[in-house]
Each structure stands twice: as structure tokens, then as C-alpha cells.
């Protein structure tokens, strides 16, 4: 993917006033999923993202590809079944980014083993042929053998079950590349600033601005799909300033620690925290990630900040279950995400996690809610609606068996470049230059060649893009990311043709941002 080529395609079509079948607003899991689905059906698609692909919620998840054990408890069987099927398809189509992971629910009371044991058997059953492995009851010794970091006092045993885990931002980048491979045009740093309407008031295009050059585009479309997550209502109000609020926002934080706090390859699932939620502590890229919380917030933002009480809550809950209680000084990074929840009554943790497709009287099609795991199904549903509403050329959805960019069967053999899948060989070729083989910081495995690859093939534009989503440095270790920033800026400057002033500005901006990912 090269940004110049994408912008040129946008400009040429705008100049000729040829409408795209679908223009997607928003480059998170939902929007990029729609672009993949539509492009793979042979429709013409442009996707516009205000920032970098995945800047919003889609890089800030708990990294689980799951049916949602919690939704089982709430009795939402159809949601669990559909998500379990999608979990299976995700692993099938992107095995380099989606893996199965063993989770233990520890039992400290007599009733927990039968209660969770039966519940998780039902979870296995609902997965059917998409199952990841059978759950089973474990003795105290077996539990500690699998999860030696668990607090042993009063432990009675545990239940082990299997779910999926992934790298959310990396999958998003590979989905964007999949869409591009099928002919979609995707442009980052290109916010939609307005909606265009025909004489009858129907939305028939968007206005967008290239934030790198200031150039504006009037882009005609047969259907406009609003996939902007927590920003959904701001786009709807471009067509109808009086549109009622549709989405509410809830914040979740994660704390990242050194792997030694968890040990082994098994995740810990706390089924009921003091506020009645679920908390996970999972191994991820050589670290331990603990989260999440569910705190209603008034207004969405691209860089939400953690609340003190959220940090304390995660630390306190983790400390109750881990033999070595983590403290503030052990936190290597904190990251925060905002859930787009379809409006309803009551606590945000009880609001619908199903996706919702909404069509405004202007014809604007909005897709929101759902979860990362169900992005493909959401996209299929959205494109089906768009074909009907926009009278587009009808074609069957093909994504159930569509390999995601980077697909390789034996990805484990790729070592620290596993997340690149089939692109790993191109990065290795770059790293034949000794200057590009150097590790950028001793705390993390990333090498200089990955920066070049991110800029050359994945449309990374800034230091933040490279250190936050293309590599996950900022999410894993904020101090190390800060230390890497200047080196990354120079590498990017050489690749993108930028000057010293750009480097200084980039380093300054990144360091300021990275402070928010530290806990002091
Ligand atoms: C804390 C937390 C943990 C989660 N954990 C999991 C999990 O483990 N597993 C799971 O399956 N799901 C999980 N989810 C849910 C999942 O992450 C979300 O459902 C999903 O990422 C939402 O994607 P989206 O594309 O709808 O939104 P986003 O990723 O936020 O994308 C919307 C995009 O729209 C862009 N945008 C906004 N305005 C404009 C404009 N004017 N022009 C162009 N672009 C614009 C934004 O920049 C943004 O990139 C979690 C969510 C949270 C908050």
C-alpha cells in the first residue's frame, strides 16, 4: 500500500465525478472489514480514515478473539454462537495473527468448579466444529502447574478452557492490505469533513481533506457507510444536525507488566471482580496484559486517558490473584480504549454488544457496536444492506474463506517477525543491510527494517504510527518506546523524504503522547 497511489486514485475519480459503489468513513475493524468484504465482492470502494488505520478503539482491545464467556452468563446464546463461529474463521484465515490460548478460571470456593465447569462445557458445545479445545476441571496442583503465578492460598483448583488471542492493530493493517489487494482505495490522515446530498436530500458522497497537503476532495458515492465507532453520531449529524444520540461510550483500560508476573503460556480469567465484571491477565508479545474496566465517559476522544481509580482497580484485582502483586512501579504501559455501545438503559457493561445497522432518512448507513471478533459478520451484514439500499451489483459474500494478507500456515517458524506472516521474508531481505538489522531497543525485539517496511508497504506516516500500531512498542513498554522515537524518526525521514525539522517535531509529539501511556 502506498499512500501517494491511493490519494491519486481518489483524486482522479473525484475529478471525473465517477461515484464509488461504497465510501466507508472510518478505518477501524468495522470500516476496514466492510472495505474487505465489498472489494472482494467486486464493488468499487474508497475508505477514509481521519488518523492512522486503527488509531481508535481497534488497536486498544483486550486482544481476545472470543465468544464471550460473560455473554453466556447473560444468556445471550445467539451472540456467543455467532462469535464462536467467527473466532474459528479468524484463526482459519489469519493464522499468523490469531492463536488459541488456554485460560484458567481459578476456584477459591466450593461452588466455582461445578458452576464454571458446566458453563464452560456449554461454551465448548456452542462452538461445535469451530471449537479450540475441550475445557476441563483441574486439581489445585494441575492449576498451579499451568499457572505458577497464581495465588495458592485457599486455592481449590481451576477450570481450563480455550479461546483465541490476536494482535488487533496488526490484523487491522493486514485487513487494510487485503482490501487493497482486492482493489480498494484506502487513505489515512484523510478526515471526512462533510456529507454531500442530492436534490432529494439523499447522501450521495462525502467531502474529505488530505491532512498532509490540505487538498480537499468531493467524493461521489452510491452508498456512504459510517463506521466511526464512538464518533458515529458526529457523522450522522453532518446529515442531520438534530439526529438523536445513538451511541454511548464506555472506557476500558489495560495495564502491561513484565511477563514474570504471569509466567507460562496460560492466561488467567477472573470471572467476577468486585464490580461484577470479568478481568483477564494474558500473556501477549512477551508481556502480561491485565484488564479491563468499564467506565462510562461523556465525550469520545482519540486519546482517552486512564482514571486513577481504574489503575487502582486493575492493580488491586490482579494483586488478589497473583502470588507476586504488581504495583504502580511495575506498570510498563497503560492503554485505554473506548467502546461504542448502542444506546439503552442501565449500566454500560449490560448494554448490547450486538452490532446494529441503522439507516437514517438521508440514506446514510451506519454500522456500529459488535466487537472485534465479529468484524467479518458485521461487514457481511453491512454490505448486504448497502447492495440492497444502493441498488449495487449483487454478489455473494466471499470472506468466510478469504485468506487475510500475510496468511501462512506455519507462522511460528517466523520468530519475532511472525506477525508479518508472508511479508516476513521481505523484511528479512531489508535486514540484510546491517544498518537495518539493528534492534531499536534492548527491551523489545523490533528492528530498523520493520520501520522501513511500515513506511514503504503499510502506509505508516509518523513515529506514533510505527511505535504504536505497526509495532506495538508503546503498548508494551512506554519508556522503551520513548527511547526508540528519535531513531525511528530518522529512519522514517529518510524513507518519506522529510527534513530535520520534521524529525524534531515528530520526536517531540511522540514523547508528549507517550507520557500518557506511563503510570508514575
Ligand atoms: C477496552 C476494550 C476492550 C475490548 N476488547 C475486545 C476483545 O478482546 N475482543 C473483541 O472482540 N472486542 C473487544 N473490544 C471491542 C472492539 O475493540 C471494538 O468493537 C472495535 O474495535 C470497534 O471498531 P470500530 O471500527 O467500530 O471503531 P474504531 O476502531 O474506533 O474505528 C473508528 C474510526 O473512525 C475514525 N473516524 C472518526 N471520525 C472520522 C471522520 N470524520 N473521518 C474519517 N474517519 C473518522 C476514527 O479515527 C477511528 O479510527 C474491546 C473494546 C474496548 C474498548
Amino acid at each position: 500500500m502506498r499512500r501517494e497511489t491511493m490519494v491519486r486514485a481518489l483524486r482522479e475519480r473525484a475529478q471525473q465525478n465517477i461515484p464509488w459503489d461504497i465510501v466507508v468513513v472510518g478505518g477501524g475493524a468495522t470500516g476496514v472489514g466492510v472495505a474487505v468484504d465489498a472489494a472482494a465482492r467486486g464493488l468499487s470502494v474508497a475508505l477514509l480514515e481521519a488518523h492512522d488505520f486503527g488509531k481508535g478503539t481497534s488497536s486498544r482491545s483486550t486482544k481476545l478473539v472470543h465468544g464471550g464467556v460473560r455473554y453466556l452468563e447473560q444468556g445471550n446464546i445467539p451472540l456467543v454462537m455467532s462469535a464462536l463461529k467467527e473466532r474459528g474463521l479468524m484463526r482459519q484465515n489469519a493464522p499468523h495473527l490469531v492463536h488459541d490460548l488456554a485460560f484458567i478460571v481459578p476456584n477459591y470456593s466450593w461452588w466455582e468448579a461445578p458452576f464454571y465447569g458446566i458453563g464452560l462445557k456449554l461454551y465448548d458445545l456452542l462452538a461445535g466444529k469451530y471449537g479450540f479445545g475441550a475445557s476441563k476441571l483441574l486439581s489445585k496442583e494441575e492449576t498451579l502447574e499451568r499457572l505458577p503465578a497464581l495465588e495458592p492460598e485457599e486455592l481449590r483448583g481451576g477450570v481450563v478452557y480455550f479461546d483465541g488471542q490476536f494482535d488487533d492493530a496488526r490484523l487491522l493493517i493486514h485487513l487494510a492490505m487485503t482490501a487493497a489487494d482486492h482493489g480498494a482505495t484506502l487513505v489515512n490522515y484523510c478526515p471526512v469533513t462533510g456529507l454531500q446530498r442530492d436534490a432529494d436530500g439523499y447522501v450521495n458522497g462525502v467531502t474529505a481533506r488530505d491532512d498532509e497537503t490540505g487538498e480537499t476532495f468531493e467524493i461521489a458515492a452510491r452508498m456512504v457507510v459510517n463506521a466511526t465507532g464512538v464518533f458515529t453520531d458526529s457523522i450522522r449529524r453532518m446529515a442531520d444536525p438534530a439526529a438523536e444520540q445513538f451511541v454511548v461510550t464506555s472506557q476500558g483500560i489495560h495495564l502491561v507488566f513484565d511477563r514474570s508476573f504471569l509466567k507460562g503460556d496460560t492466561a488467567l480469567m477472573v470471572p467476577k471482580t468486585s464490580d461484577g465484571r470479568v478481568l483477564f491477565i494474558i500473556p501477549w508479545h512477551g508481556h502480561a496484559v491485565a484488564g479491563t474496566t468499564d467506565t462510562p465517559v461523556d465525550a469520545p476522544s482519540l486519546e482517552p486517558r486512564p482514571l486513577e481509580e481504574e489503575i487502582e482497580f486493575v492493580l488491586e484485582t490482579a494483586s488478589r490473584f497473583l502470588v507476586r502483586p504488581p504495583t504502580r512501579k511495575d506498570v510498563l504501559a497503560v492503554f485505554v480504549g473506548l467502546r461504542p455501545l448502542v444506546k439503552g438503559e442501565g449500566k454500560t457493561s449490560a448494554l448490547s454488544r450486538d452490532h446494529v445497522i441503522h439507516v437514517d432518512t438521508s440514506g446514510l448507513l451506519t454500522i456500529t457496536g459488535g466487537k472485534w471478533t465479529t468484524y467479518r459478520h458485521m461487514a457481511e451484514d453491512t454490505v448486504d444492506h448497502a447492495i440492497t439500499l444502493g441498488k449495487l451489483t449483487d454478489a455473494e459474500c466471499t470472506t468466510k474463506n478469504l485468506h487475510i494478507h500475510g496468511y501462512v500456515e506455519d507462522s511460528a517458524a517466523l520468530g519475532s517477525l511472525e506477525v508479518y506472516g508472508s511479508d516476513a521474508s521481505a523484511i528479512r531481505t531489508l535486514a540484510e543491510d546491517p544498518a537495518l538489522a539493528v534492534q531499536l531497543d534492548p527491551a523489545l525485539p523490533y528492528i530498523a527494517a520493520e520501520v522501513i517496511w511500515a513506511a514503504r508497504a503499510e502506509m505508516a506516516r509518523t513515529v506514533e504510527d510505527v511505535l504504536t500500531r505497526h509495532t506495538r512498542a508503546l503498548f508494551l513498554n512506554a519508556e522503551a518506546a520513548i527511547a526508540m522515537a528519535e531513531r525511528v524518526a530518522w529512519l522514517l525521514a529518510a524513507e518519506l523524504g522529510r527534513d530535520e525539522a520534521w524529525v524534531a517535531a515528530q520526536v517531540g509529539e511522540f514523547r508528549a503522547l507517550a507520557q500518557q501511556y506511563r503510570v508514575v
Side-chain angles (χ1 to χ4, degrees), residues 105-349:
V105 183
N107 304 151
Y108 289 93
S109 305
W110 67 267
W111 57 270
E112 286 176 317
F115 183 77
Y116 295 116
I118 292 168
L120 289 164
K121 275 283 167 242
L122 177 60
Y123 195 64
D124 294 347
L125 218 66
L126 291 175
K129 67 174 178 167
Y130 297 103
F132 275 22
S135 62
K136 67 174 185 178
L137 296 178
L138 301 177
S139 66
K140 176 175 179 174
E141 291 67 35
E142 287 168 331
T143 304
L144 288 171
E145 203 175 298
R146 279 179 179 258
L147 204 54
L150 198 61
E151 172 58 62
E153 215 180 301
E154 293 184 36
L155 181 74
R156 289 166 164 263
V159 187
V160 62
Y161 74 99
F162 298 87
D163 235 328
Q165 187 192 34
F166 74 140
D167 183 326
D168 49 10
R170 288 295 324 164
L171 181 60
L172 188 84
I173 292 162
H174 277 183
L175 281 170
M177 293 170 93
T178 309
D181 293 343
H182 285 82
T185 294
L186 304 99
V187 185
N188 52 5
Y189 294 98
C190 191
V192 164
T193 51
L195 297 176
Q196 298 182 337
R197 304 170 74 169
D198 66 14
D200 296 322
Y202 284 107
V203 170
N204 66 352
V206 304
T207 312
R209 183 186 62 237
D210 179 349
D211 267 350
E212 291 198 352
T213 60
E215 183 179 359
T216 56
F217 302 99
E218 301 211 328
I219 302 163
R222 296 196 171 88
M223 281 303 296
V224 175
V225 172
N226 172 17
T228 49
V230 292
F231 301 97
T232 290
D233 289 319
S234 63
I235 303 295
R236 290 179 58 240
R237 285 176 185 150
M238 288 177 181
D240 174 9
E244 272 208 34
Q245 186 187 356
F246 184 67
V247 163
V248 291
T249 303
S250 145
Q251 162 165 314
I253 76 151
H254 295 86
L255 301 181
V256 181
F257 306 105
D258 186 83
R259 179 67 167 270
S260 57
F261 282 92
L262 193 57
K263 297 182 185 147
D265 293 324
T266 303
L268 166 64
M269 194 263 219
V270 176
K272 218 168 206 98
T273 57
S274 57
D275 70 348
R277 299 195 74 254
V278 167
L279 190 123
F280 293 96
I281 307 178
I282 55 170
W284 190 61
H285 290 326
H287 292 70
V289 178
T292 182
T293 50
D294 196 337
T295 314
V297 291
D298 292 337
S301 85
L302 271 177
E303 275 301 340
R305 288 167 183 260
L307 301 178
E308 266 310 304
E309 55 261 37
E310 291 182 300
I311 296 172
E312 286 308 317
F313 172 79
V314 175
L315 282 175
E316 197 256 325
T317 309
S319 298
R320 275 200 279 132
F321 290 88
L322 297 179
V323 72
R324 186 174 146 219
T327 64
R328 294 178 79 87
K329 68 174 177 29
D330 298 312
V331 179
L332 298 175
V334 53
F335 63 89
V336 189
L338 298 179
R339 292 179 194 85
L341 299 172
V342 179
K343 203 165 177 248
E345 301 293 324
K347 277 177 72 175
T348 51
S349 58

Side-chain angles (χ1 to χ4, degrees), residues 25-31 48-66 166 190-193 227-231 234-235 238 250-254 292-293 302 337-340 367-374 378:
V25 190
T30 308
L48 307 164
E49 163 55 47
H51 199 275
D52 183 28
F53 305 121
K55 164 76 176 182
T57 307
S58 298
S59 57
R60 302 157 184 270
S61 77
T62 311
K63 327 298 177 202
L64 299 181
V65 180
H66 60 162
F166 74 140
C190 191
V192 164
T193 51
T228 49
V230 292
F231 301 97
S234 63
I235 303 295
M238 288 177 181
S250 145
Q251 162 165 314
I253 76 151
H254 295 86
T292 182
T293 50
L302 271 177
L338 298 179
R339 292 179 194 85
I367 164 77
T368 194
K371 50 189 195 161
W372 233 121
T373 308
T374 55
M378 292 165 69

Side-chain angles (χ1 to χ4, degrees), residues 309-421:
E309 55 261 37
E310 291 182 300
I311 296 172
E312 286 308 317
F313 172 79
V314 175
L315 282 175
E316 197 256 325
T317 309
S319 298
R320 275 200 279 132
F321 290 88
L322 297 179
V323 72
R324 186 174 146 219
T327 64
R328 294 178 79 87
K329 68 174 177 29
D330 298 312
V331 179
L332 298 175
V334 53
F335 63 89
V336 189
L338 298 179
R339 292 179 194 85
L341 299 172
V342 179
K343 203 165 177 248
E345 301 293 324
K347 277 177 72 175
T348 51
S349 58
L351 292 185
S352 172
R353 255 59 172 176
D354 289 323
H355 71 266
V356 173
I357 290 180
H358 176 86
V359 186
D360 281 298
T361 47
S362 64
L364 176 69
L365 198 161
T366 291
I367 164 77
T368 194
K371 50 189 195 161
W372 233 121
T373 308
T374 55
Y375 85 91
R376 193 211 62 80
H377 179 222
M378 292 165 69
E380 178 178 355
D381 211 0
T382 307
V383 177
D384 283 347
H385 275 76
I387 287 175
T388 308
L389 291 164
K391 300 187 179 66
L392 309 178
T393 310
D394 201 357
E396 286 290 306
C397 170
T398 61
T399 53
K400 281 195 188 81
N401 296 306
L402 184 77
H403 287 173
I404 305 302
H405 185 99
Y407 175 95
V408 276
E409 266 161 31
D410 185 18
S411 59
L414 302 171
S416 65
L417 297 180
E418 181 179 13
V419 293
Y420 297 95

